[in-house]
Amino acid sequence: MAGSHLLRGLILVALAAAVSGQFFVNLGDKKQAGTGEVDTRAQGGALGGSNVGAAGGAVGTDTNAQLIEDWAAFIKWFCSNGGIISSKLTVKMRNGRQGVYFKERMRRGETIVSFPRNLRLDEKTAMKGKAGHVFQRLKNEEAFPDLIVILHLVHERSLGKDSFWSPYFKLLRTNYNNIMGLTEPQMKTLLRRPGCENTYNLGIMMRRTFNNFYEYYKKNVETWAPPEFLFTRDDIMWGFNTLVTCGWGQQGGNGDKLMVPFSDIPNHRRESAQKASNRGFISAAKEYQAGEELTFDYGLLNDAVLAYYGQPTPDCRGLKR
C-alpha cells in the first residue's frame, strides 16, 4: 500500500538522522505562522481544546490530582479489558512533564505490565466500530492504511466520553512541539547548520507525507463522508503526530501502524534498563526505588525520531527546549 511506503520512507530518513547525531533546533518560537508546506496555525475544529496531555497535563494548580484521577480511570479500563498494570505505579507531573513513577520499591523480575491482545487501536478496530462502514469504504478504495488509523484516532477523540478509548486518550498528548511546527525560515536555518542535512530531509519527508494524507482526505473522503467525519487540518495533524509519535509497526513488517495503550505512556530515556515493547508483558529489568521514574529505551531511532516527533527526551541529544 502507498501509505506503508510513505511512512517506511520516513523511518529510513529518521534512521539516517539518528546516525548523524546532529539534533539541535529551537522550537520555542510558536508565535510565527508557518509559511512552508504545512499550515501550523490554530484552527479550532471538531476536537475542541482539551488541556490534558502528556506534554502539559491539566491546567491549574490541581494538575496532579487530575492526572491521578485520569490514571485511575485508565487502570480500571485497561484491567477490565484483560490487562495487568502494577499497583506500584502512578503518574505525576515533574518539571513540566508527565511521567510514570514508582510509588514503592519494585524488585527485579516483578511484572510491570501485561498487555491484553484485544487492546490494539488499528485498522481492525476501526472496522469493528459503529463507523465501520466508513472505514470499510476507505479500505475498498485503497486509502492509505495509516490514514485510516489516523481518521480512526481523530474520530474516536471527537466522541469524547462516548468513545471506548476515552480513558486512554486522556493520557495522550494534545499538542506536539515537534518538527512539523517549524516555520519555513526555521527549516532553512536548519539546512544551513553543518551536519543537519538528514534532519532537514526528515522534516521535508514528514511534511510531504502529511500533505499527501491530507490532500487525499480532502479529495477522496470529505466529499462523501458523514458530518462526524468532517475534520479540520489541525484535527488530522493531531492524528498524524499521535500515530507517528506513539504508533508501532505491525508484526507483519508491512509498515502499517497501530496504537498499544500504556506502551507509549512512559517517557523515553536513552540506555534505560527497560526496553520498549508492545507485546506480552514487561517485567522490571532492575530494582526500582519509590519515587523513581519508569522510562523506556526505544532503541536505535530514539534520538532523532523521539526528539523531532516531540517526545520528552531530557537526557539525550534531542531538541533544545
Side-chain angles (χ1 to χ4, degrees), residues 37-52:
E37 292 183 74
V38 178
D39 184 0
T40 59
R41 292 171 293 178
Q43 297 179 19
L47 301 183
S50 173
N51 289 319
V52 180

Side-chain angles (χ1 to χ4, degrees), residues 97 100 266-269 272-275 288 293-297:
R97 71 186 187 117
V100 179
N267 288 317
H268 156 73
R269 185 176 298 276
S272 172
Q274 299 296 152
K275 306 305 178 185
Y288 289 93
E293 183 178 5
L294 171 65
T295 57
F296 289 160
D297 185 338

